[in-house]
Amino acid sequence: MFKPSPILASLATVLALGGGVGNVEAAAGKTVAGKFVATPMAKFDQPWAMTFLPDGRLLVTEKKGALKVHTIGGKSGDVSGVPKVAYGGQGGFGDVVLHPDFATNQLVYLSYAEAGDGDKRGAAVARAKLTLNQNGGGALSNLEVIWRQVPKVTGKGHYGHRIAFSDGYLWITSGERQKFDPAQDMQANLGKVLRLKDDGTVPADNPFAQQGGVTAQIWTLGHRNPLGIAFDAQSRLWVHEMGPSGGDELNLVERGENYGYPLVSNGDHYDGRTIPDHSTSSKYKAPAVTWNPVISPAGFIIYRGAMFPSWKGSGFIGGLSSEALIRVSFDGTSAREAERFDMDARIREVEEGPDGAIWLLEDGRSGGRLLKLTPTT
Ligand SMILES: [Ca+2]
Ligand SMILES: [Ca+2]
């Protein structure tokens, strides 16, 4: 168990603005005085996602397959009854979110990589009832798998599998599993953003509901590896995705639209093959922001709190390869990178705490710290 100490607190990194670089291509960030202090609060083994419980504790997924309940400033306990995950490559435990009526039904939703026949895998989403116990841990019961990627394929990458609730619906981002074409295949739910009811069934007003099967689940198509999903105060849906080389994107996700991958992208394939830019075709919805060089986006909130009043309505995206926290400002349906904070670590997850502090999880390779960001006084 990693505990914050006075020494570490005094070493808390003071981080600040990245020069207010706008729009399409952003410069690397600078560390200068101001803005916020990042205080290490705990350490996890390859953490992937977190969500706050109503009592102020945190649920944290660890990629190898553990679900932790963490008391801020205290201990972490284990939650039993989790599904078996296919750990390896980019796969393992994924996201964790609460049902909007969690206070009364105690339902949590979990995403993870699931093994299939032979060497095949696919993302899955399960829900279960969470019972917290006296000694700081908990147990899942009535676990039910309510969604799966179809088809399961070989490989261990691009699961996507970020999940969110809005408007009473369950939204799932599904990566294209590094297979390219499934993002445009309406018989597959890979490379899509999906909209489901809380039990995994399909709402009758989904854009392709009449076509049945997994097609009915589809809200939008043409995505590569979407690793962040958030709704703004006007209930607009924003999703970022890890694009090909030079092609990370933030998209305003609108009903029934095609976001182009792998037919168009502002980036090119990592093996050197070119992809026509978004500007070459109006058939596909162009991103609100693209990044070249890429940031490798992971985790996403749109800030609603009071602790950082000037950031209300801003998006915060974790950066893996960019080792940064990226602030995005929105103007209706357009967006731009507003600031970049150099974090010196791969940032996997971003969350807003009940008091408006911003919380980050570092990616696991070097130990995966939980960081609390509070304003510099
Ligand atoms: Ca989260
Ligand atoms: Ca695109």
Side-chain angles (χ1 to χ4, degrees), residues 1-3 41-45 47 62 70 76 362 366-370:
M1 169 68 203
F2 177 95
K3 286 195 180 116
M41 298 296 288
K43 207 166 185 178
F44 294 92
D45 182 12
E62 292 181 334
H70 175 71
S76 295
E362 295 174 348
S366 60
R369 294 182 303 174
L370 172 69

Side-chain angles (χ1 to χ4, degrees), residues 49-51 95-96 162 349-351:
M50 62 179 157
T51 198
D95 214 350
V96 55
R162 279 286 178 180
E349 166 74 323
V350 188
E351 200 52 75

